Amino acid sequence: MVNSRRVPLLLILSATLLAGAGNGITIVAFPWLVLQRNGSAVEASLVAMAGTLPLLAATLLAGTAVDYLGRRVVSMLADLLSGLSVMAVPVIALVFGVEAIDVAVLAGLAALGSFFDPAGMTARETMLPEAAARAGWTLDHANSVYEAVFNLAYIVGPGIGGLLIATLGGVNTMWVTAGAFGLSIVAISALRVEGAGRPDRTKLPDGVWSGIVEGLRFVWNNKVLRTLAFVDLTVTGLYMPMESVLFPKYFTDRDEPAQLGWVLMALAMGGLVGALSYAVLSRHLKRRTTMLIAVLTLGVAMTVIAFLPPLPLILALCAVVGFVYGPIAPIYNYVMQTRAPAHLRGRVVGVMGSLAYAAGPLGLIVAGPLADAAGLRTTFLALSLPMLVIGLLALGLKSLRELDRTPD
């Protein structure tokens, strides 16, 4: 029998799994729908970029919306709007025909869906500390399981997405995505936890813009948060094109949608194991050491992948990348949760997320044309070598030593 004190935490984890799985399906489905039409990596990168371009502004607004409107309401509303945006793909196909789903339509729907996703993720993450306290879990334990579930979603999502595309086709796959968002809404609708309802208006600024500025100022004035934001911004810009464009291009050219799903699943499976291992690893490794290992390993593994070795080696390298990077998100969560006051938590999470998303469009703009012009191997190297440089530079950043200091 489930302990009733753990029910709020289990509901948050369930909603995270369902919404994340829906997003995981779209990672495969949107690029596949484009590449199936003409095989252009440039157009695939444009659609992928459309799915990331709104994230900078959307995540900033999401944090403010969570603090102003309440965490539970924002989570359900965001999932509803995200579900409607992906459901539009098969609806348009039914009403106007498959030919109507061109690159512009896909880019628009990808942008619309991505605009709402950060609000749901931010809302669920900001409810985690209270749910963990109710369940009697430490923050390290809760963050470890939360990020493991998030990674599990990206095992289930891309894997199912690849299989559904192979059996039902890319358009009908979007029905499954909408269903996943709907079930996430059901889970959060049953949630009751401290801090999830109406916020304390006396602690909020007068307007949305002043709220965003307050969150930005807090992150900028906190040395460790500021450093983490810029490191994550750079790493995301280098890593995102590999998952969103380069691997889809490689396996589309080979007409192997299932293999694309396996590669994305290997990344997520490694992340799942890495995130689950964090609670144990944190007893033996400092947070700063864990982060440095992750960034350096990313650079080495991506460099080897650049030579496009056989699929088993690609899968192994992707699993390693996921494993070493898995503990990073729990560390980020811990720092945000312990440095930010409760009434600012949504905005701090939003600011940190938006800064990470800011580099994504730039990386995608470069990766698509470079892949078509110079080939996948050159593009992989162009992304992996700077990752190695970032890891080496991070060794000398004194501010990262704050990761291992207990906050006042």
Side-chain angles (χ1 to χ4, degrees):
M1 184 176 180
V2 177
N3 187 332
S4 61
R5 295 178 63 83
R6 295 182 181 177
V7 169
L9 184 59
L10 293 176
L11 289 172
I12 292 173
L13 295 175
S14 298
T16 300
L17 176 63
L18 290 162
N23 287 324
I25 294 172
T26 64
I27 287 177
V28 178
F30 271 117
W32 192 267
L33 287 170
V34 177
L35 292 166
Q36 191 178 33
R37 293 175 65 91
N38 52 25
S40 170
V42 172
E43 292 188 355
S45 66
L46 288 174
V47 172
M49 185 179 66
T52 59
L53 196 58
L55 293 177
L56 173 58
T59 310
L60 279 174
L61 293 172
T64 304
V66 168
D67 285 342
Y68 269 81
L69 302 178
R71 300 163 184 171
R72 182 168 164 268
V73 169
V74 169
S75 177
M76 292 190 292
L77 182 61
D79 284 339
L80 173 63
L81 296 174
S82 294
L84 291 175
S85 68
V86 295
M87 188 186 297
V89 173
V91 169
I92 290 173
L94 286 173
V95 175
F96 301 103
V98 178
E99 297 78 11
I101 308 175
D102 57 17
V103 174
V105 170
L106 291 172
L109 292 176
L112 190 63
S114 70
F115 188 83
F116 302 124
D117 289 337
M121 292 186 290
T122 301
R124 288 185 288 273
E125 188 173 324
T126 54
M127 291 187 284
L128 196 60
E130 288 78 11
R134 174 84 69 86
W137 288 21
T138 66
L139 268 180
D140 278 337
H141 186 185
N143 284 320
S144 177
V145 175
Y146 173 84
E147 293 299 332
V149 169
F150 189 80
N151 280 280
L152 179 61
Y154 283 86
I155 294 172
V156 174
I160 291 178
L163 294 174
L164 288 176
I165 290 171
T167 55
L168 301 179
V171 172
N172 289 328
T173 295
M174 293 302 190
W175 290 116
V176 179
T177 311
F181 284 117
L183 291 174
S184 177
I185 294 171
V186 172
I188 295 298
S189 68
L191 175 65
R192 299 293 183 274
V193 70
E194 296 82 0
R198 288 187 175 184
D200 184 354
R201 299 291 178 184
T202 63
K203 295 184 177 180
L204 297 177
D206 295 331
V208 173
W209 176 246
S210 61
I212 292 174
V213 170
E214 187 178 1
L216 286 166
R217 185 182 298 116
F218 184 89
V219 170
W220 181 258
N221 291 333
N222 188 289
K223 184 166 57 176
V224 65
L225 283 174
R226 184 174 68 237
T227 301
L228 288 178
F230 284 110
V231 170
D232 197 31
L233 182 149
T234 306
V235 171
T236 300
L238 296 171
Y239 172 80
M240 186 178 294
M242 180 180 73
E243 183 175 315
S244 299
V245 175
L246 302 187
F247 277 138
K249 170 65 174 173
Y250 177 64
F251 289 105
T252 301
D253 289 346
R254 298 163 64 94
D255 193 25
E256 296 175 342
Q259 283 78 353
L260 172 60
W262 286 115
V263 166
L264 297 178
M265 285 176 65
L267 287 166
M269 180 67 78
L272 170 63
V273 177
L276 280 175
S277 302
Y278 170 66
V280 176
L281 291 173
S282 62
R283 302 172 190 170
H284 306 286
L285 288 176
K286 294 182 177 180
R287 295 186 182 95
R288 174 177 174 270
T289 303
T290 303
M291 171 166 288
L292 294 175
I293 290 173
V295 179
L296 289 168
T297 304
L298 274 170
V300 173
M302 286 174 62
T303 301
V304 177
I305 290 172
F307 294 96
L308 301 176
L311 180 62
L313 182 54
I314 292 179
L315 292 174
L317 290 168
C318 288
V320 170
V321 166
F323 177 79
V324 298
Y325 204 69
I328 297 304
I331 292 174
Y332 273 50
N333 292 348
Y334 174 84
V335 174
M336 290 185 289
Q337 292 158 358
T338 56
R339 264 68 175 185
H343 71 280
L344 264 176
R345 194 184 301 158
R347 278 165 284 173
V348 169
V349 173
V351 168
M352 293 291 286
S354 65
L355 290 175
Y357 287 134
L362 180 59
L364 292 168
I365 288 172
V366 173
L370 186 59
D372 281 343
L376 290 174
R377 181 174 300 178
T378 299
T379 307
F380 267 117
L381 286 172
L383 299 175
S384 62
L385 295 180
M387 188 82 75
L388 283 172
V389 174
I390 292 298
L392 294 173
L393 291 175
L395 291 171
L397 293 176
K398 294 181 179 180
S399 56
L400 290 182
R401 293 188 175 93
E402 292 288 314
L403 292 174
D404 299 305
R405 182 183 65 82
T406 302
D408 297 332

